Amino acid sequence: EPEEDDGPQWLHVWVPHGPTFASGAYRLVSGQRYNGFPVWWKTGQQEGTDCWIYSTSREHWAVGGAWETMAGAGSAQAWIYSPVRHCGRSPDQMPRSWQHNQPEWTTDAAILFTELADDDVLSLADVQASVAAARRGRARTRPNN
């Protein structure tokens, strides 16, 4: 069972500009902590695009990749970063002052972190699966000319 202070089981991240590939549903990684705080993970669409939500050593939430290389994770490996120290608050409780780094660090109030209930995650997965199926269906029915 996850500890009480681990934060939400699921977080949804919406990134409308810049590193939009970081958008999606992130699952709490059970038993995994980084800099003493919980970690959430999302599978990427392509290899090498897995994303992680983690705390920097100075208690700023960040979204980045390449977990194996994050021994000294700061904002350098991050695509999204909260300039406000979290002081133990989960990412969905942070003010809307998130920044993304494409092409340079920019504050974007449209970046949104929300807690998801398990039911929401299932329906989200269903939507993504049906969209993918519809795309595959369209691809199959295209005339070969």
Side-chain angles (χ1 to χ4, degrees), residues 97-118:
S97 57
W98 295 89
Q99 301 176 346
H100 70 73
N101 68 344
Q102 291 186 1
E104 67 271 328
W105 286 107
T106 308
T107 300
D108 186 351
I111 295 173
L112 182 61
F113 285 65
T114 47
E115 180 175 355
L116 280 181
D118 283 345

Side-chain angles (χ1 to χ4, degrees), residues 15 17-23 26 42 48-54 61-67 70 74-82 98-102 104-106 111:
V15 186
H17 316 111
T20 54
F21 59 85
S23 295
Y26 288 71
K42 173 180 87 77
T49 60
D50 284 12
C51 297
W52 304 84
I53 301 171
Y54 63 95
W61 289 116
V63 180
W67 184 252
M70 274 190 188
S75 57
Q77 291 97 334
W79 301 299
I80 294 163
Y81 178 78
S82 170
W98 295 89
Q99 301 176 346
H100 70 73
N101 68 344
Q102 291 186 1
E104 67 271 328
W105 286 107
T106 308
I111 295 173

